[in-house]
Amino acid sequence: LIGLATWVALFSFHKAIAQERDLTYEEKIRTYTTDTRFYPSSIARIVNHATIPSPLKHFGTIIGEPGVMHNTTEIYTYYKRLDQSSDRLMVQQMGTSEEGRAIHLVVIADEATLANAEEYKALLAELSDPRKTDDRRAAELFKKGKSVYYLNGGMHSTEMGSPEMLMELAYRLITDESEEIKHIRENVIVLINPVSEPDGRDKQVD
């Protein structure tokens, strides 16, 4: 998780097109960030999108507000709202937990990539099997395919932060029009497992 978060944190808004900033959200980030090492300019600023709801607009609180945790139903509901609001994100149910809770996978990329998601999935499946794919074919697939960055949230029920921060990261990745974030969307398929252990997560939140 730290890898992509750090990656995004290194980016600035210097090359961004003019976008309205959510000053209320930004002030709360500043208030709740206790160490300036975790407060680079890219984290300090967040887009106020007209049609895609931020965590603040959806929940009434920002991600990381003290004393606020969300269960899996609330988390998945937010991702589904993002899915309904943007062509850059989609949610798929991958299975159910031992106690019957849903396990979802969130996919983020630019509109063209998501429109051809099955094609990229097939390319990756072919690339992953050396019994069927020789070096020549693999080189062709590398040119056609895209890198995949997988983020796994809440592997253990006591790991409370990652299922929270991934919601804000998803919002940033689909709303930010800076050149750096656009480059990510156009060249990387970001996969997010919001909560990999949903049964324990809900018990911990309770």
Side-chain angles (χ1 to χ4, degrees), residues 123-192:
L123 290 175
L124 288 168
E126 185 178 354
L127 183 62
S128 69
D129 192 343
R131 296 170 302 177
K132 301 177 180 178
T133 307
D134 59 21
D135 290 345
R136 181 192 59 79
R137 178 57 178 162
E140 295 175 356
L141 294 173
F142 281 132
K143 294 178 181 179
K144 294 180 180 179
K146 297 193 176 187
S147 298
V148 176
Y149 203 109
Y150 177 66
L151 298 107
N152 194 43
M155 179 176 290
H156 305 105
S157 60
T158 53
E159 295 165 356
M160 301 295 286
S162 54
E164 298 291 328
M165 64 77 63
L166 287 170
M167 290 188 283
E168 183 180 299
L169 179 59
Y171 173 77
R172 290 176 180 271
L173 286 173
I174 65 175
T175 59
D176 187 348
E177 296 296 342
S178 68
E179 290 300 318
E180 293 87 352
I181 300 301
K182 286 173 63 178
H183 183 77
I184 293 173
R185 286 196 300 263
E186 292 169 1
N187 294 280
V188 179
I189 299 172
V190 177
L191 303 180
I192 296 176

Side-chain angles (χ1 to χ4, degrees), residues 13 18-30 39 41-50 52-63 78 168 171-172 175:
F13 274 40
Q19 286 187 279
E20 182 181 354
R21 291 165 52 181
D22 191 332
L23 300 181
T24 301
Y25 204 119
E26 290 179 7
E27 176 58 24
K28 288 180 177 291
I29 292 174
R30 187 195 64 77
Y39 193 61
S41 61
S42 58
I43 297 301
R45 296 175 176 142
I46 191 166
V47 172
N48 183 19
H49 200 279
I52 301 175
S54 69
L56 178 59
K57 290 179 181 178
H58 178 78
F59 294 114
T61 58
I62 74 164
I63 297 302
Y78 179 62
E168 183 180 299
Y171 173 77
R172 290 176 180 271
T175 59

Side-chain angles (χ1 to χ4, degrees), residues 63-91:
I63 297 302
E65 187 155 326
V68 178
M69 288 286 156
H70 301 97
N71 62 35
T72 56
T73 299
E74 295 169 324
I75 291 170
Y76 293 148
T77 297
Y78 179 62
Y79 282 112
K80 289 175 183 177
R81 280 200 70 187
L82 295 182
D83 189 348
Q84 295 165 0
S85 305
S86 174
D87 293 333
R88 298 169 176 172
L89 181 149
M90 63 180 180
V91 180

